[in-house]
Amino acid sequence: MAGWFLLWSLLLAFACMADAEFCLASYFADHMVLQKEPAQAMIWGHGDVGAFVKVTIFQGSNIISWKIGQVEGDTGTWNIILSPMNPGGPYKIVAEQYFRREVKNVTLQDVLFGDVWLCGGQSNMEMTVLQVMNAKKELSEVELYPRIRVFTASLVQAEAELEDLAKIDLQWSVPTAENIGHGNFTYFSAVCWIFGRYLYDRLQYPIGLVESCWGGTPIEAWSSSRALEMCGLSNTYNSYLFDILTYGPTDYSVLWNAMIHPLLKMTIKGAIWYQGEANVQLHNDLYNCTFPAMIEDWRRAFHEGSQGQTDENFPFGFVQLSTYRREETSDCYPQMRWHQTDDYGYVPNPKMKNTFMAVAMDLCDENSPYDSIHPRYKREVARRLSLGARAIAYGEKDVIFQGPFPKKITIMKTDASIKITYDQKLLQNLVNTTIFEVCCSSQLNKVGFNATEWLPTAIISKTPYSVTVSFNGLCKGQITGLRYAWKDWPCEYKNCPIYNSEALLPAPPFTFHFHITLH
Ligand SMILES: *[C@@H]1O[C@H](CO)[C@@H](O)[C@H](O)[C@H]1NC(C)=O
Ligand SMILES: *[C@@H]1O[C@H](CO)[C@@H](O)[C@H](O)[C@H]1NC(C)=O
Ligand SMILES: *[C@@H]1O[C@H](CO)[C@@H](O)[C@H](O)[C@H]1NC(C)=O
Ligand SMILES: *[C@@H]1O[C@H](CO)[C@@H](O)[C@H](O)[C@H]1NC(C)=O
Ligand SMILES: *[C@@H]1O[C@H](CO)[C@@H](O)[C@H](O)[C@H]1NC(C)=O
């Protein structure tokens, strides 16, 4: 019986498009959140070609506003941009089609206006509230947030751009412990949910969270061919073989096609993104292009798709990779973290405007039952992201949302030391650390001339704004670089050597290259 019912409801969903029945696109449903002012939400659906469509917003039985559109000939679709709405609700939205004396209608109940955030990426975004630290407590608090609404797209790939979602895992819902803690890597995303909670606590108006992510997927799958071409990748089958941890589709653009393109007509406030692990071994050296290119492309596409309602420069937040293997010595992870910032080390920067980043290299979780690549400390990830959103997306002036970053590096040849001066007051825990390294072109402690090598330095002094390290006895000839936290697993849990003194945000990793000839 259940099987038949499922089949029947799926057929109904698809019948709408095929027979030009009057309907809304898949992701318009009761309990949804539509984007509030100053942007205007777009509603769209299918209908009889030539028919007029009227969309009315009711509060109780009062008409708040109405708009009229028409079903377009070539596509059989209609789009209506609603009037700008203050945050709040619930509202009822009625869409009516007038066609040859026949009136059809669809009604959405319990619709709220607020900010809609898209949550994308791979398995660290997919990881559900059930899987994270303090899951019980997190789940027990879910029902305190009935004005956050959640939605999850199904895992679908497609070879061509889809106009609507092919399938939905979680239709717009009022959050409950069941749908927020549904299962492992299904729904609902812990980072997305807790991010939404932090925003709600601050803003006190409705938040809509749209999860569209898939574990083990590289950025190429989420990027349009336009974005990939910007980085010299042609839109072809990607034959790269992944290791056993990877389980999502890897072909170029297939998730852009099926899980992002269908959402472009949804007016959104911004997006958050937790992805990169699948690119550590795949086109790592291109991520400094593919990531900024994807962000710009999504921005343009959402702006155009919503007929200008989604900001063409919408805020985009992301998580810098956490840790994977404690003993790993290759620099693939640090390289990836660096490329996530387009090689600046921090965001926003001139190439990644209106972005914000949660540094997560100190949130390691060696004993995670889901493998150390999936740390369970997602609340802190979401907290750090929410600080970025408050500063960048909501323009709060006094929010500290970045960890300390060097603003000046002074090399003192006479006493063989380097002074690193930061842009913020530091909270330091510098006991015995080898986290700063210098790149020497030749070394004193080895016979003969050697190729360049990174060597750990000793910390010799500090002030509230600076750290001084020594390369005395290490290098001769030339120094060609300085780097910090350049390891897969640079620190223990919340125990990096340098944090911001107030917001407890870790200093992000950096690598700088220069040429200083000694003596
Ligand atoms: C929608 O159509 C149904 C019949 O299909 C009708 O009973 C109902 O009153 C209509 N609702 C509105 C708001 O027009
Ligand atoms: C999720 O994974 C954990 C750890 O492997 C397991 O104990 C639990 O039963 C799983 N839960 C579900 C709902 O599959
Ligand atoms: C991106 O990083 C690679 C090294 O991984 C470097 O060779 C390349 O120049 C960088 N690209 C840009 C545009 O900076
Ligand atoms: C510093 O490291 C050395 C060698 O690893 C160790 O013997 C010493 O106890 C450490 N000192 C502190 C203060 O941790
Ligand atoms: C250079 O350093 C590497 C790594 O420490 C070492 O294996 C190699 O033997 C050195 N080569 C020379 C010529 O000293």
Side-chain angles (χ1 to χ4, degrees):
M1 276 307 279
W4 280 110
F5 176 74
L6 191 66
L7 185 62
W8 179 72
S9 44
L10 275 178
L11 284 174
L12 258 195
F14 288 114
C16 177
M17 281 190 252
D19 304 348
E21 287 280 332
F22 178 62
C23 67
L24 298 169
S26 65
Y27 47 83
F28 292 95
D30 294 350
H31 314 301
M32 78 181 305
V33 176
L34 289 168
Q35 181 57 43
K36 72 165 187 78
E37 54 74 46
Q40 295 168 244
M42 185 191 266
I43 291 201
W44 70 280
H46 297 266
D48 293 301
V49 173
F52 284 96
V53 177
K54 179 181 177 193
V55 174
T56 311
I57 304 178
F58 292 87
Q59 188 162 37
S61 55
N62 297 329
I63 293 179
I64 302 295
S65 74
W66 54 269
K67 289 263 192 134
I68 290 201
Q70 195 170 12
V71 180
E72 302 282 342
D74 49 344
T75 55
T77 60
W78 53 273
N79 306 314
I80 288 178
I81 294 177
L82 301 178
S83 307
M85 293 288 290
N86 290 328
Y91 295 97
K92 179 171 80 175
I93 295 184
V94 179
E96 291 162 294
Q97 170 180 277
Y98 296 83
F99 188 61
R100 298 184 185 142
R101 291 193 191 158
E102 200 186 351
V103 184
K104 291 177 182 166
N105 69 56
V106 196
T107 299
L108 302 178
Q109 304 282 358
D110 185 31
V111 174
L112 306 179
F113 283 82
D115 281 338
V116 180
W117 282 86
L118 173 64
C119 303
Q122 49 179 114
S123 53
N124 269 309
M125 182 61 88
E126 253 181 337
M127 223 172 145
T128 66
V129 179
L130 189 68
Q131 296 175 269
V132 302
M133 288 293 180
N134 302 313
K136 267 212 179 104
K137 179 170 182 290
E138 302 289 354
L139 290 173
S140 74
E141 291 168 0
V142 161
E143 283 168 33
L144 301 175
Y145 293 86
R147 284 162 82 81
I148 302 178
R149 302 291 169 78
V150 291
F151 174 94
T152 306
S154 294
L155 279 49
V156 177
Q157 53 178 320
E159 282 182 17
E161 291 176 346
L162 304 186
E163 288 312 309
D164 197 355
L165 295 172
K167 207 162 163 271
I168 290 166
D169 270 4
L170 179 66
Q171 187 50 278
W172 281 106
S173 300
V174 179
T176 63
E178 286 69 38
N179 60 29
I180 293 297
H182 166 82
N184 292 339
F185 299 111
T186 53
Y187 53 84
F188 194 79
S189 159
V191 169
C192 190
W193 169 250
I194 303 171
F195 173 76
R197 271 181 50 168
Y198 276 112
L199 289 188
Y200 184 86
D201 285 342
R202 181 71 195 169
L203 301 168
Q204 296 290 312
Y205 62 68
I207 301 287
L209 300 173
V210 176
E211 173 179 354
S212 184
C213 53
W214 193 332
T217 51
I219 194 166
E220 290 81 353
W222 296 101
S223 303
S224 73
S225 53
R226 282 184 310 274
L228 294 172
E229 276 159 19
M230 299 275 295
C231 305
L233 295 172
S234 61
N235 192 12
T236 55
Y237 179 77
N238 165 33
S239 57
Y240 187 86
L241 290 175
F242 281 94
D243 68 30
I244 176 172
L245 272 167
T246 309
Y247 50 89
T250 60
D251 289 357
Y252 292 176
S253 305
V254 289
L255 304 177
W256 157 262
N257 289 341
M259 296 176 68
I260 301 298
H261 187 269
L263 302 174
L264 298 181
K265 293 184 187 174
M266 180 188 280
T267 311
I268 61 170
K269 169 73 179 179
I272 56 171
W273 173 255
Y274 195 156
Q275 192 277 336
E277 297 88 342
N279 284 101
V280 166
Q281 307 286 349
L282 170 69
H283 295 156
N284 184 325
D285 59 346
L286 281 181
Y287 205 83
N288 51 4
C289 183
T290 49
F291 187 39
M294 187 199 77
I295 296 172
E296 283 309 311
D297 188 63
W298 279 25
R299 283 174 169 166
R300 203 183 75 187
F302 273 92
H303 181 67
E304 286 174 4
S306 64
Q307 293 179 15
Q309 293 309 317
T310 295
D311 192 330
E312 61 192 326
N313 195 26
F314 68 73
F316 192 104
F318 63 94
V319 184
Q320 194 177 41
L321 288 194
S322 186
T323 46
Y324 180 18
R325 294 190 177 116
R326 186 191 288 277
E327 307 305 335
E328 182 62 50
T329 53
S330 84
D331 67 356
C332 294
Y333 256 66
Q335 199 69 37
M336 192 64 192
R337 294 187 187 113
W338 187 242
H339 287 341
Q340 286 182 293
T341 66
D342 199 349
D343 306 350
Y344 280 80
Y346 58 87
V347 302
N349 64 49
K351 297 253 190 72
M352 295 176 71
K353 297 199 169 104
N354 223 25
T355 59
F356 51 97
M357 169 172 86
V359 176
M361 65 175 177
D362 64 333
L363 301 177
C364 50
D365 183 10
E366 197 160 28
N367 300 318
S368 169
Y370 313 100
D371 196 275
S372 60
I373 203 168
H374 297 127
R376 288 165 293 173
Y377 299 107
K378 295 296 194 262
R379 170 183 266 272
E380 181 61 10
V381 168
R383 184 187 75 92
R384 293 175 186 179
L385 274 178
S386 73
L387 294 174
R390 284 171 54 185
I392 298 296
Y394 295 97
E396 274 189 60
K397 292 277 177 278
D398 299 328
V399 179
I400 297 164
F401 69 104
Q402 295 162 302
F405 203 76
K407 65 171 190 193
K408 191 167 163 213
I409 293 191
T410 318
I411 294 161
M412 289 165 287
K413 293 187 196 177
T414 44
D415 65 350
S417 69
I418 305 176
K419 182 176 182 184
I420 305 128
T421 308
Y422 283 85
D423 58 355
Q424 297 175 3
K425 194 171 175 194
L426 310 176
L427 180 75
Q428 297 148 322
N429 175 24
L430 295 173
V431 180
N432 240 4
T433 181
T434 57
I435 205 157
F436 288 97
E437 295 170 294
V438 285
C439 191
C440 303
S441 63
S442 68
Q443 299 150 36
L444 285 172
N445 62 348
K446 290 208 179 100
V447 184
F449 203 75
N450 204 333
T452 56
E453 196 184 357
W454 289 95
L455 298 169
T457 62
I459 289 163
I460 51 174
S461 67
K462 59 183 186 181
T463 72
Y465 283 90
S466 75
V467 175
T468 302
V469 299
S470 167
F471 56 86
N472 199 9
L474 288 177
C475 310
K476 65 177 182 186
Q478 275 198 331
I479 298 186
T480 55
L482 174 74
R483 67 190 190 183
Y484 171 77
W486 209 256
K487 294 189 177 87
D488 176 327
W489 198 289
C491 339
E492 292 312 313
Y493 176 67
K494 287 195 179 175
N495 204 10
C496 278
I498 300 176
Y499 285 84
N500 165 280
S501 64
E502 285 168 73
L504 299 181
L505 296 170
F510 67 76
T511 182
F512 295 127
H513 297 270
F514 38 73
H515 280 279
I516 302 292
T517 305
L518 301 173
H519 59 80

